[in-house]
Amino acid sequence: MPPGVSGKTGGVTGTASEPRDSSTQSGGDALFDLPRAKAEARAQRPQPRQPAAEQPVARVLVDTPLPHLDRPFDYLVPAEMDVRVRPGCRVRVRFAGQQLAGLVLERVACSEHQGRLSYLSQVVSTEVVLTPEIAALTRAVADRYAGTQADVLRLAVPPRHARVEQEPAPEAAGTPDAPSPGPWLDYTSGESFLAALRAGGAPRAVWDALPGPDWATAIGVAVATVLSRGRGAVVVVPDGRDVATVDNALRDLLGPDHHVALTADLGPAERYRRWLRVVRGQVRAAVGTRSAMFAPVHDLGLVVLWDDGSDVHCEPHAPYPHARTVLALRAHQAAAGALLGGRTRTTDTTMLIASGWANPLSASRDTVRRRAPRVRPAGDDTEIARDPEARTARLPAVALRVARAALRDGPVLVQVPRRGYLEALACTQCREPARCAGCHGPLALRSAHAIPFCRWCGRIAGEWRCPECGNHRLRAVTVGARRTAEELGRAFPSVPVVTSGREPGHSRVVPSVQDRPALVIATPGAEPVAAGGYSAALLLDGWALLGRADLRAGEEALRRWCNAAALVRAASAGGQVVVLAEPDLAPTQALVRWDPATFAERELEERRELGFPPATTMAAVTGRTAHVREVLDQLRLPEDAELLGPVSIDDQDHQRALLRVPRASAWRLAHALKTAAASRSARREEHVTRVYMDPLEVV
């Protein structure tokens, strides 16, 4: 037998010349010393986590959409994360068996929770992305709109880009000098408003902007005045073109390093880069579209909202906050100034004046008349005597006559309410609206040689026949911008035609046109700016705006008309505007006199008598019939609440109920709706009903 091999099977011993290892047991029953192995195993186990020595409890808002969980939850901060966990940073936590994202609201010494607390799982980033002001604002917005704070924070805090956070930060800009009043000299209280901002006050104004291109410069002067005091400013405008205009005005006044522009077309990384400059305090001013209302500027001194009547200021995602309300809340919480303005005055801002929250900021009537173009309706008595068809013709003689004369001096703007070609068709014989045989949607035409198609389902209706009279011929009911361009191109064959609109595949929004003869056909909101102003403007199809089944139809028509007419030269320079609408209607008369403030005051009084917003607060509850009725049964409404409906809104068993309360009870109504949603969520009722505070459309 070779040396070193035991005669016993299953055992291995040392060789004869080697001493036996002390850990070897006789007979080979065990290879290691068990007490020492257990000690080593215990040493390798993770030690129990210890909480941070100071302020060991972090209050975290967990990213969950459930209404009954809309509150912060307490977690322990591990000692190894103590330095990294700061209020406002992103973390991950164990919640309901999942790893969810969250934001640290604050750190405290102890928790009110009586049970055992879990530890934070991970610090995603040490970057502070939620300031105390924005945390308080999002809480208030969620309560005001019957939503959850997590939903509002998704609108307020952009997604993280780790690479951008690691980039070297630029230096903060210095404090600029106070600018001269500039355009504010044309307003009665303009210098007083700027003086209050320079003194560090919080003036609140509803601004009736004069016609002309200097509105962005006026905003820039107000922002520069606030920045000269070392405070911050937030400017919210409707679209990217307006952002570029204000951005250029601020750059001319302040230089390139005092503000940032926030728009969706920047891309996620660049937008986050600019947003970080704001939250880090490297810049004190931010201008952008709707989401900029939550821009976390430091030491807020002024909020600005331009063209507050535009519907794009209302967020389309839950809980559907409006920029006007959000900025008003910010101004109140931060003791900051507010400037809410536009070419027209809305009933909502008129209500703010009536309540004493804000003061009007407007020019004298002499200044308005000097700056405004001459406005004339197509169907007044003088034109009826010359052209009996002036009230009914789409392009009456006065419009063609004004356009022909104005084209000798520069471009002419033609505003068309509808985009597309022929967006609504009807039978030529009985005038019955033409509808799809499959889904009953409206038929339309894309061009002069196209076949009618359904705007809902896209089905081709080449063999359409009227179900009432059997006729197969169609006529136009609603004419779009492209068809208008064709008609005017034939009427003025030697004049260039430019189209501007937001119709994919056919046209684009043109930012500006040169000061030379041209016909510019544009839909509302897409009107290019003309160098030197338009020589004339034709506002077509006023009936399409005024005839809408909408509470805000007259107000919206006047807003669109004034925005277009403000691009026209002053009457002293030959500027003219022809509006194709009934001359005796209140919106038409307000445009002729260029007095939208009086129109808004009259409109508000009428709504007070009828109990319509903004004199009252309304909420809409929409969903399937059974679900809406279940929500209404669970609601504990304020005593002064009134239920309207529910009524059917389509053919698929959907209903809408309106709840109306006085303005003073708006927060109580929102609380009742949120309580009902939380109760259903806690019972895991998964059916969906949409709750919409302050709906834009109520009729």
Side-chain angles (χ1 to χ4, degrees), residues 11 60 93 108 114 135 163 168 173 178 252 285 308 331 370 386 401 441 468 543-544 548 569 573 601 622 686:
V60 180
V93 297
V108 295
Q114 300 299 322
R163 177 179 56 83
D252 293 341
D308 72 289
R370 187 175 69 251
R386 301 177 63 177
R401 187 169 64 249
E468 299 295 327
W543 60 269
R548 295 186 307 154
R569 301 167 189 167
E601 292 169 356
T622 307
E686 298 181 355

Side-chain angles (χ1 to χ4, degrees), residues 49-57 76-83 107-110 119:
R49 305 179 80 177
Q50 297 296 325
E54 297 183 1
Q55 294 183 323
V57 178
L76 288 176
V77 179
E80 62 271 18
M81 297 183 186
D82 186 15
V83 179
R107 288 184 60 172
V108 295
C110 59
Y119 283 92

Side-chain angles (χ1 to χ4, degrees), residues 394 416-424 475-485 487 540-541 543-544:
R394 185 164 188 264
V416 184
R418 304 293 180 88
R419 62 185 183 182
Y421 193 76
L422 297 180
E423 293 299 294
R475 66 182 298 270
V477 175
T478 302
V479 180
R482 283 191 291 116
R483 175 56 181 258
T484 304
E487 294 175 352
L540 304 186
D541 302 338
W543 60 269

Side-chain angles (χ1 to χ4, degrees), residues 130-177:
L130 181 63
T131 63
E133 185 220 345
I134 300 302
L137 176 66
T138 54
R139 178 73 272 165
V141 171
D143 293 342
R144 173 62 178 79
Y145 284 92
T148 65
Q149 190 175 8
D151 284 340
V152 182
L153 282 172
R154 292 191 195 100
L155 307 175
V157 180
R160 177 178 181 247
H161 283 258
R163 177 179 56 83
V164 174
E165 290 183 353
Q166 304 305 318
E167 295 175 352
E171 295 183 1
T175 302
D177 297 330

Side-chain angles (χ1 to χ4, degrees), residues 565-620:
L567 303 176
V568 180
R569 301 167 189 167
S572 58
Q576 295 190 65
V577 175
V578 178
V579 55
L580 276 71
E582 290 292 331
D584 54 346
L585 296 178
T588 309
Q589 287 298 311
L591 178 64
V592 171
R593 299 190 306 271
W594 204 278
D595 190 14
T598 301
F599 171 81
E601 292 169 356
R602 173 182 172 181
E603 186 80 2
L604 179 60
E605 287 302 318
E606 292 179 353
R607 295 192 194 181
R608 274 201 181 103
E609 295 177 2
L610 299 173
F612 285 152
T616 59
T617 297
M618 280 191 173

Side-chain angles (χ1 to χ4, degrees), residues 5 39 111-112 118 253 273 295 358 411 420 442 528 598 600-601 604 612 645 674 692:
V5 178
S111 173
E112 297 178 358
S118 299
L253 284 167
R273 182 178 295 110
T598 301
E601 292 169 356
L604 179 60
F612 285 152
K674 187 172 182 178
Y692 199 151

